Amino acid sequence: TQLLEQSPQFLSIQEGENLTVYCNSSSVFSSLQWYRQEPGEGPVLLVTVVTGGEVKKLKRLTFQFGDARKDSSLHITAAQPGDTGLYLCAGVRGGADGLTFGKGTHLIIQP
Amino acid sequence: DSGVTQTPKHLITATGQRVTLRCSPRSGDLSVYWYQQSLDQGLQFLIQYYNGEERAKGNILERFSAQQFPDLHSELNLSSLELGDSALYFCASSGWGGYNEQFFGPGTRLTVL
């Protein structure tokens, strides 16, 4: 059973469109992180959200943590080809444990 | 560049063999984590070391073991390899405090034939 479910699994859209990807769980996490991974490379941390209801913006990317700290979303405005990649959410249960990852959303932005 | 280094980049071996993957964390980071990434399972946490001591275990098989040395580099040992062990293996490190943000190395791609 996957503790973190990400949707959609695959998304291919045109440059300039907006999109939202979701990360859902039945478990509560003390914080949640979003990573982006490109082929042949390791994941790169984008953001950490900690407080229920928190919203963080990173240029055209908006991250939200659910009020109950069980889910999160990533919204990209005016997507660009450089946004192409695998977007992973990862939950932190507490302390310095290993991260629990979702399976990711494969995003392709076509020029 | 995350500051985390991993060697080798690629490894091809046969079933039943044993391999060792190496990781050097970012300067100053005491925690090292090992993850396995496969197409069907995604990224799975294997094990964590903190300043030379095992701190947490995830979905690590008994055929796998790890250690962290006094200079803080870590090695992941995989033995009696099976075809299903073919995957990307990532090392990550984190510093003290914060929210367990981790910095990943470039990974080792293991192929078991």
Side-chain angles (χ1 to χ4, degrees), chain A residues 35-104:
Chain A
Y35 289 79
R36 178 166 164 261
Q37 184 180 18
E38 298 194 34
E41 299 180 10
V44 176
L45 179 67
L46 296 174
V47 78
T48 301
V49 285
V50 179
T51 307
E54 181 177 6
V55 176
K56 277 192 175 178
K57 292 193 174 184
L58 190 67
K59 297 183 180 178
R60 294 176 293 99
L61 278 59
T62 301
F63 303 85
Q64 185 162 6
F65 202 11
D67 291 340
R69 291 187 288 131
K70 291 182 179 181
D71 54 86
S72 181
S73 64
L74 159 59
H75 181 80
I76 300 179
T77 303
Q80 298 177 2
D83 296 326
T84 293
L86 175 65
Y87 288 82
L88 296 158
C89 66
V92 180
R93 290 291 194 93
D97 294 334
L99 299 173
T100 299
F101 279 89
K103 287 193 176 182

